[in-house]
Amino acid sequence: MRKASTAIPAEPKRFHPYQRPTLAKKQREEEFIASLPSNVVVQFQSTEGELTGPPVNLPVETTPEQLQLLVNELLKNEEPLPYSFTVNETEVIRDVKTDILVGQRRSAENVLEIVYQPQAIFRVRAITRCSSALAGHTEAILSVSFSPDGAQLASGSGDTTVRIWDLNTETPQHTLKGHTHWVQIVAWSPNCKFLVSGSMDDTIRLWDPKSGKAIGGPLKGHSKCITSIAWEPMHLNQECNRFATASKDCTVKIWDANLRRCLFTLAQHTDPVMCVRWGGEGLIYTGSRDKTIKVWDGKDGKLVRTLEGHAHWINHLALSTDFIIRSACYDHTNRRPSNPEEGKQWALERYTAFKAQCGPERLVSGSDDFTMFLWEPVSSLRVGPDGASIGGKKPIARMTGHQQLVNHVCFSPDGRYIASAGFDKSVKLWDGRSGKFINTLRGHVGKVYQVTWSSDSRQILSASQDSTMKAWDVRTKTLKMDLPGHADEVYSVDWSPSAAGAMADKVASGGKDRILRIWKN
């Protein structure tokens, strides 16, 4: 008798272990997008929290360009100004629906509070090529710096010389000889009248950048190498004759360039002072390997307060006002003051306008403990938005994320962002007001030594041990241009502070290969 065949059941459909949840998530996303209405009510407000106009009913596909038209109309601006728009610190890049409602999964039933912030009315072109590779230095280039008006460029090298370069012809202009050891730092006075250099020979030298001649002999006083130099802002002193120098001898000295002598010494640090900044309110900030930041009165050198929190050496300091102080009276209109009084007046007007837009002066510190702190030392102690005490000795935020030491920090010219360079091969972007993390810019395969900003705050440039520089787009948080060219590590980079003409598009870089490179569009 023949047996009936047994039917083999069909094999059940198998899902990849991650496929089913992915499909479900995609379906939920599509359902959420389909449920969104075609319109949303928005309320515009300034960065200070002031409401602008009444709530407005807008299509959810409204783009940043359309938001700009609306804000300019509400503010009754005679000439349209560019603005950026954020909701809960997320910027509107494509449209409100994509970036905010879908990106943040926000309900369209509630009023959207959109914060607008003015941007630079000029635009700096992207750096795309090396226009000059200038030989001359016979050892590594350790420091490069453009003059505040963007007309000249200075470089300091391990060959003990300082060189000044003509930016119109991109050729050597002057070679300044006098130091007997590496020149680690060069700094321009705000009126471009003086150039000062600090060396490992423990001395400071003053130079006339127009003639290339030394102004007297070396300024002696420090017993160890010079690590940092900062000039007094032009809006506080129209003569631009006072500057501060930090040294590994644990002191900071204040000098008069006209008298060529030390006015007073700040000596309360117990380890080498690695960075000094002269703020727009007349305060001097010093960061040391004793793990503290000290705040001094620039008039008489009295200690105002000590900022503590870091667990290791402090490598670098940056102020939200750094760019406006550095560029002094020079702006995108390319005007030049006819006398020191006019220069001081213009510089004060620019500083006052910046402070009104960006709030009190803020300080960021980068350390060997892999962290950064954001401070507001000029303000008295107050309660922050989250209920914590900030201002005075209390930090606004402790900024963590780097996996190795933070070597360099820099505020954007508009004070809105902070960029940090770390030995973990990354550049990180932070909110300049709250200190909140925004994004990590990855691409370098070696330690990142320095970062610098374009004068319109739309681009960042980073210099690395991997012999390359990289230009980053701040709006999209992506790599804009890879800039190879150097044959070895790139130690120093600077973007011209000039916002006018061809000078605004120039970048200078120097490093271990002894070649100064000038880059432009």
Side-chain angles (χ1 to χ4, degrees), residues 230-241:
W231 284 87
E232 186 176 18
M234 181 186 283
H235 69 266
L236 298 177
N237 178 10
Q238 66 187 36
E239 297 300 321
C240 302
N241 62 319

Side-chain angles (χ1 to χ4, degrees), residues 189-402:
S189 65
N191 59 3
C192 306
K193 183 181 174 183
F194 299 109
L195 177 68
V196 65
S197 57
S199 167
M200 283 189 70
D201 63 11
D202 310 341
T203 68
I204 301 109
R205 282 184 175 267
L206 280 164
W207 312 91
D208 180 348
K210 301 300 180 188
S211 66
K213 303 293 185 184
I215 302 174
L219 300 178
K220 297 179 180 180
H222 286 295
S223 58
K224 290 188 178 178
C225 69
I226 314 303
T227 55
S228 183
I229 299 171
W231 284 87
E232 186 176 18
M234 181 186 283
H235 69 266
L236 298 177
N237 178 10
Q238 66 187 36
E239 297 300 321
C240 302
N241 62 319
R242 295 205 306 161
F243 63 95
T245 58
S247 168
K248 283 192 174 180
D249 65 6
C250 311
T251 70
V252 174
K253 291 182 180 293
I254 312 301
W255 306 82
D256 188 308
N258 292 330
L259 301 176
R260 300 191 68 261
R261 66 181 180 87
C262 178
L263 300 176
F264 50 86
T265 301
L266 313 178
Q268 291 200 31
H269 282 292
T270 56
D271 275 307
V273 184
M274 302 310 294
C275 192
V276 59
R277 284 284 182 270
W278 204 316
E281 301 298 315
L283 297 174
I284 297 172
Y285 307 90
T286 57
S288 166
R289 285 185 176 177
D290 65 11
K291 301 180 286 189
T292 69
I293 301 160
K294 292 190 183 292
V295 186
W296 315 79
D297 189 322
K299 293 178 182 176
D300 52 21
K302 287 182 180 177
L303 182 64
V304 177
R305 58 177 60 100
T306 300
L307 310 179
E308 297 176 322
H310 281 294
H312 211 308
W313 297 348
I314 293 167
N315 294 321
H316 200 247
L317 304 175
L319 292 169
S320 58
T321 53
D322 273 344
F323 182 84
I324 210 76
I325 289 171
R326 177 189 179 183
S327 53
C329 60
Y330 306 102
D331 61 10
H332 65 281
T333 61
N334 210 18
R335 61 182 181 174
R336 295 290 183 269
S338 56
N339 55 63
E341 292 80 10
E342 188 176 46
K344 180 182 178 181
Q345 181 61 33
W346 289 356
L348 183 60
E349 288 171 2
R350 294 186 70 219
Y351 179 79
T352 305
F354 177 87
K355 198 166 67 168
Q357 179 182 317
C358 300
E361 186 172 71
R362 294 179 299 285
L363 173 78
V364 65
S365 53
S367 168
D368 261 32
D369 64 7
F370 308 173
T371 71
M372 300 152 60
F373 275 91
L374 184 63
W375 315 82
E376 205 172 271
V378 297
S379 303
S380 54
L381 193 66
R382 68 181 194 281
V383 177
D386 58 355
S389 298
I390 61 173
K393 293 183 179 181
K394 298 286 186 180
I396 296 173
R398 180 174 183 258
M399 301 147 73
T400 59
H402 278 289

Side-chain angles (χ1 to χ4, degrees), residues 20-145:
R20 197 188 299 267
T22 302
L23 291 172
K25 183 179 178 182
K26 186 176 180 182
Q27 188 176 358
R28 288 197 304 270
E29 190 79 16
E30 289 173 351
E31 289 173 356
F32 176 74
I33 293 172
S35 69
L36 290 173
S38 56
N39 285 52
V40 64
V41 178
V42 304
Q43 173 66 63
F44 292 105
Q45 65 180 46
S46 67
T47 51
E48 290 78 30
E50 296 177 0
L51 302 182
T52 302
V56 185
N57 195 1
L58 297 177
V60 292
E61 287 89 3
T62 303
T63 64
E65 290 75 19
Q66 292 167 328
L67 292 174
Q68 277 187 32
L69 291 172
L70 192 53
V71 167
N72 275 296
E73 186 66 32
L74 289 171
L75 294 174
K76 295 182 170 54
N77 292 331
E78 293 182 4
E79 293 186 10
L81 298 175
Y83 293 92
S84 64
F85 301 92
T86 56
V87 177
N88 284 353
E89 299 176 6
T90 299
E91 187 170 355
V92 181
I93 296 175
R94 286 162 289 187
D95 55 57
V96 173
K97 179 180 179 180
T98 306
D99 298 318
I100 307 304
L101 299 181
V102 176
Q104 295 185 358
R105 295 193 72 82
R106 292 284 296 262
S107 169
E109 295 177 0
N110 300 325
V111 177
L112 277 185
E113 293 182 345
I114 297 183
V115 178
Y116 63 89
Q117 179 155 336
Q119 293 184 300
I121 59 176
F122 57 91
R123 189 175 286 272
V124 175
R125 293 182 296 177
I127 300 300
T128 58
R129 64 189 175 92
C130 176
S131 60
S132 295
L134 304 173
H137 284 297
T138 57
E139 289 293 337
I141 297 169
L142 306 175
S143 176
V144 293
S145 180

